[in-house]
Amino acid sequence: MGDLDVFPIGLGAMTLTQVMGYDEQRGIRTVHAALDAGVTLIDTADVYGPAGGYGVNELAVMKALALYPGSTDHVIVSTKGGHIRLPDNTWWIDGRPEHLRRACEDSLRRLGFDALPLYFHHRPDPQIPYADSMGAMRDLYDAGLIQRAGISNANPERIRLARDILGDALVAVQNEFSPRFRSSEPEIELCAELGIAFSSWSPLGGMREAKGLGSAHGEFHAVAEARGVSPQRVALAWQLQKSPVVIPIPGASRPESVLDSVESVGFELSAEEFDRLEASPFAG
Ligand SMILES: NC(=O)c1ccc[n+]([C@@H]2O[C@H](COP(=O)([O-])OP(=O)(O)OC[C@H]3O[C@@H](n4cnc5c(N)ncnc54)[C@H](OP(=O)(O)O)[C@@H]3O)[C@@H](O)[C@H]2O)c1
């Protein structure tokens, strides 16, 4: 897993700006709380933000980092390209090599790095052969525009293809995984086999579902109650315990959420608790 194995948990930054009525000061406090608590990976994308257009979330993250009183040299900001956001706020996909090149250069300009620390291909484009998009990612790496490559929303076949094309430059796969969405198990196993990170997106079920995690998933509620912690912390601890390659990236728009979530690192579930959570029923 290379140098990514030192980041057990990251901050998913989409929630910072996606929630209605984005409060910049609260967003900055949230990022600072994450950094104070030891988070060293912040995940964003060119298309994250409350409306159409690009770079809202990337710029918000960078502003918060710039205002942090301590050093942020050790912090990895991962961003993504491959989606487009139309002026009417519709999301679309563009996996053409020329789009990925332009998107990468735009993110570089916004983030102000010489090379992006970790750049994800956001989502396969059904109109474009995956090998072509991966070839474009390889070109970005060879040109020194990105230091590490990741892919997102990829099945095992695509992960293997990406690995063939990107080689050791491929360090992470970012797929959905949570108590309610578990069909990424084969990808987690493959990442473990290949020695690359599996970054679970919407690890609490997504912005709309996260708060109700305990009521939707009885075993998570039961374990949380017995241990006197939040069901969200239990859900993250369960993912961390599943495999050493799993790095959840819970989103947050409040410092309180971050502070609770980081406590999942080192929060050990017993084998019996873990097995109960594994076997608990899930919807979807
Ligand atoms: N690659 C992709 O295609 C893709 C797709 C979706 C998301 N992502 C990534 O995944 C990240 C996370 O996903 P997400 O934001 O959709 O869903 P999520 O992490 O499952 O849920 C986010 C929500 O969880 C709440 N929360 C976080 N920690 C909590 C805690 N300890 N206790 C109670 N509530 C807590 C937050 O509340 P507050 O707002 O109140 O803090 C926020 O509303 C995104 O930010 C993004 O970086 C990637």
Side-chain angles (χ1 to χ4, degrees):
M1 208 176 358
D3 52 3
L4 274 186
D5 58 358
V6 297
F7 309 126
I9 190 170
L11 173 67
M14 179 164 68
T15 318
L16 280 178
T17 51
Q18 200 91 344
V19 285
M20 296 301 289
Y22 169 58
D23 175 341
E24 186 182 79
Q25 289 309 312
R26 194 174 82 177
I28 291 169
R29 284 201 306 278
T30 303
V31 172
H32 289 188
L35 297 174
D36 286 346
V39 164
T40 53
L41 173 68
I42 301 182
D43 180 75
T44 179
D46 57 358
V47 284
Y48 290 171
Y54 296 88
V56 176
N57 193 271
E58 288 179 331
L59 292 170
V61 167
M62 294 317 287
K63 182 167 184 181
L65 287 177
L67 290 171
Y68 188 65
S71 168
T72 56
D73 294 348
H74 60 297
V75 176
I76 289 212
V77 177
S78 59
T79 192
K80 317 183 195 77
H83 261 298
I84 51 177
R85 198 94 181 261
L86 302 175
D88 69 356
N89 204 10
T90 321
W91 290 60
W92 204 243
I93 304 173
D94 190 342
R96 290 174 303 146
E98 56 270 33
H99 171 76
L100 294 173
R101 175 78 183 214
R102 197 169 48 242
C104 176
E105 288 172 350
D106 288 348
S107 286
L108 264 173
R109 203 167 29 251
R110 283 189 293 263
L111 299 185
F113 294 128
D114 294 332
L116 294 173
L118 171 56
Y119 192 56
F120 281 94
H121 176 247
H122 207 148
R123 193 176 289 275
D125 181 345
Q127 311 289 333
I128 305 292
Y130 199 57
D132 290 3
S133 297
M134 290 305 104
M137 293 290 287
R138 175 85 225 184
D139 290 345
L140 296 177
Y141 180 75
D142 289 341
L145 299 183
I146 65 176
Q147 289 175 344
R148 306 170 184 83
I151 55 173
S152 185
N153 302 300
N155 62 20
E157 192 189 337
R158 288 193 168 114
I159 296 172
R160 288 198 188 277
L161 180 59
R163 172 68 161 209
D164 286 347
I165 293 172
L166 290 163
D168 289 342
L170 180 69
V171 300
V173 172
Q174 187 178 124
N175 278 12
E176 185 172 9
F177 189 74
S178 69
R180 120 187 137 86
F181 189 96
R182 303 194 196 181
S183 53
S184 289
E185 299 266 2
E187 288 86 3
I188 294 178
E189 278 169 32
L190 180 55
C191 285
E193 178 194 319
L194 298 175
I196 59 181
F198 176 95
S199 175
S200 41
W201 65 253
S202 292
L204 303 174
M207 277 182 259
R208 286 189 196 87
E209 309 284 336
K211 301 292 180 200
L213 192 153
S215 42
H217 303 281
E219 290 295 349
F220 285 82
H221 171 75
V223 170
E225 202 167 59
R227 299 285 299 271
V229 300
S230 70
Q232 289 79 11
R233 196 185 299 182
V234 170
L236 297 171
W238 162 68
Q239 292 174 42
L240 288 167
Q241 224 160 300
K242 257 188 105 59
S243 164
V245 300
V246 173
I247 302 174
I249 47 166
S253 64
R254 296 175 311 124
E256 294 81 358
S257 304
V258 169
L259 295 176
D260 186 60
S261 293
V262 292
E263 292 298 327
S264 62
V265 179
F267 179 81
E268 240 177 81
L269 297 161
S270 70
E272 185 265 335
E273 288 170 331
F274 181 81
D275 290 346
R276 269 168 61 199
L277 298 174
E278 281 284 284
S280 68
F282 57 96

